[in-house]
Amino acid sequence: MSREPTKSAQQPPVVKSANLGFARLDGEAFPIFEAGWVWLVGAGPGAPGLMSLLCYHAMQSCDVVVYDALVNPDILRWVRQGVILEYAGKRGGKPSPFQQDISLRLIELARAGKRVLRLKGGDPFMFGRGGEESQALAMAKIPFRIVPGITAGVGGLAYAGIPSTHRDTNHSVIFLTGHDATGKMPANVNWQAVATASPVIVMYMAVKHLGEIAQALMEGGRAPKDPVTIISNASLPHQQVQATTLDQAGAFVTKNDPPTPAIVVVGHASDWREMLDWYTPALRENAIG
Ligand code: SAH
């Protein structure tokens, strides 16, 4: 809780509270963060300006934050001074803590009477294991609240100038994970159904297996020349957006090694980017968004 924040995902960030007051929020009718409660909160895709007022309120009211690797250290600066920060992600080459260990830690802290903020990237219920953690809390009879966040599969697209839906390109969108719990390409997906059900497919954690996924989609009936856009570090100053096509996607990833975290968008929603890319280098000067 001192000095400058670090950008490294390998180390728990050293955090200096922003401590900006936010006077206009004082006295507003926020829900009270009670002792012994756990709030599972989504911090959004990265840019601090994309966190919600409830997320900010929780950061100002909690006793301890248990946060994931994907939470931008710049967001952790918004905690009240004196709050304990606990890292629950992969660190320094060591394996990730088991999901069960994280849930048990949340339960332990809540039973010790702490106000526990479980902070996750994006939205806690979107591929964020918020379901599993709240299930564990429910079974342990720990009271909890879920605070949704802007998920990378929607907010990340917005920062790339790609509307998730547009009446001229798609009336539906599919959210898909490129990993299952074992880290492999998900086995229990009906690829033919996914390939044909929606014009736009938004994929999380999909870079590693993109070649295999693209193959499965094409075998399922998807056009080989469908646009594929890879949005890395969405909403952050080092955001990077790369474009390819479905039939080239595997080779593209091998050659270009896109930085992660990344969202992969399949379909013609990406065509709008040429006109709607607003997140220019000039705008990236702004630390909040
Ligand atoms: N709960 C999170 C997703 C967690 S799964 C959410 O709602 O956004 C982790 C995956 O999310 C990453 O592998 C990546 O696919 C995506 N992701 C999260 N933050 C991202 C970012 N800033 N830019 C691009 N992808 C991101």
Side-chain angles (χ1 to χ4, degrees):
M1 285 292 301
S2 61
R3 298 178 296 279
E4 287 303 304
T6 153
K7 291 274 180 198
S8 166
Q10 300 297 315
Q11 298 288 330
V14 179
V15 173
K16 181 180 172 192
S17 169
N19 211 20
L20 297 179
F22 251 65
R24 278 171 300 165
L25 295 184
D26 291 349
E28 291 298 334
F30 283 109
I32 294 170
F33 200 152
E34 309 261 14
W37 278 62
V38 178
W39 285 24
L40 273 90
V41 179
L50 298 181
M51 72 172 142
S52 67
L53 289 180
L54 264 184
C55 176
Y56 173 77
H57 167 65
M59 294 182 92
Q60 291 288 307
S61 328
C62 68
D63 299 310
V64 51
V65 181
V66 181
Y67 64 96
D68 275 350
L70 280 179
V71 174
N72 180 1
D74 286 344
I75 284 180
L76 294 172
R77 291 174 61 243
W78 295 80
V79 290
R80 185 171 52 87
Q81 267 175 10
V83 169
I84 295 164
L85 298 170
E86 275 195 26
Y87 185 69
K90 201 169 175 157
R91 187 188 300 168
K94 293 187 191 142
S96 320
F98 287 112
Q99 187 57 47
Q100 200 191 1
D101 295 343
I102 298 172
S103 297
L104 289 175
R105 180 65 182 145
L106 298 177
I107 292 165
E108 182 181 49
L109 287 165
R111 287 202 173 133
K114 304 286 184 210
R115 292 167 295 182
V116 186
L117 169 49
R118 175 68 174 121
L119 194 61
K120 292 169 167 290
D123 180 90
F125 274 3
M126 182 68 102
F127 302 128
R129 300 193 185 159
E132 289 94 317
E133 287 175 23
S134 47
Q135 226 176 327
L137 296 171
M139 287 193 297
K141 304 219 175 333
I142 304 289
F144 63 89
R145 168 184 281 264
I146 311 294
V147 179
I150 297 176
T151 187
V154 174
L157 271 64
Y159 269 66
I162 301 174
S164 299
T165 70
H166 188 296
R167 284 179 298 173
D168 292 345
T169 48
N170 61 309
H171 288 88
S172 63
V173 56
I174 289 179
F175 296 112
L176 185 76
T177 173
H179 269 192
D180 65 13
T182 66
K184 300 215 171 81
M185 180 170 139
N188 57 351
V189 170
N190 181 341
W191 290 103
Q192 195 179 355
V194 170
T196 52
S198 172
V200 174
I201 306 169
V202 173
M203 300 193 282
Y204 295 70
M205 299 172 274
V207 169
K208 191 166 163 206
H209 300 304
L210 192 55
E212 288 166 80
I213 293 169
Q215 192 59 37
L217 290 174
M218 287 185 292
E219 282 166 14
R222 197 79 183 192
K225 291 298 169 203
D226 240 20
V228 173
T229 304
I230 303 168
I231 310 163
S232 299
N233 295 305
S235 83
L236 294 169
H238 50 301
Q239 173 175 307
Q240 199 177 322
V241 182
Q242 294 169 292
T244 179
T245 52
L246 207 52
D247 58 350
Q248 299 297 318
F252 183 90
V253 165
T254 307
K255 183 165 172 240
N256 296 290
D257 195 17
T260 55
I263 286 288
V264 180
V265 187
V266 177
H268 284 280
S270 293
D271 296 350
W272 297 108
R273 176 171 158 75
E274 199 182 332
M275 191 189 289
L276 302 182
D277 176 24
W278 57 273
Y279 190 52
T280 60
L283 288 167
R284 294 175 192 195
E285 302 293 315
N286 189 328
I288 298 293

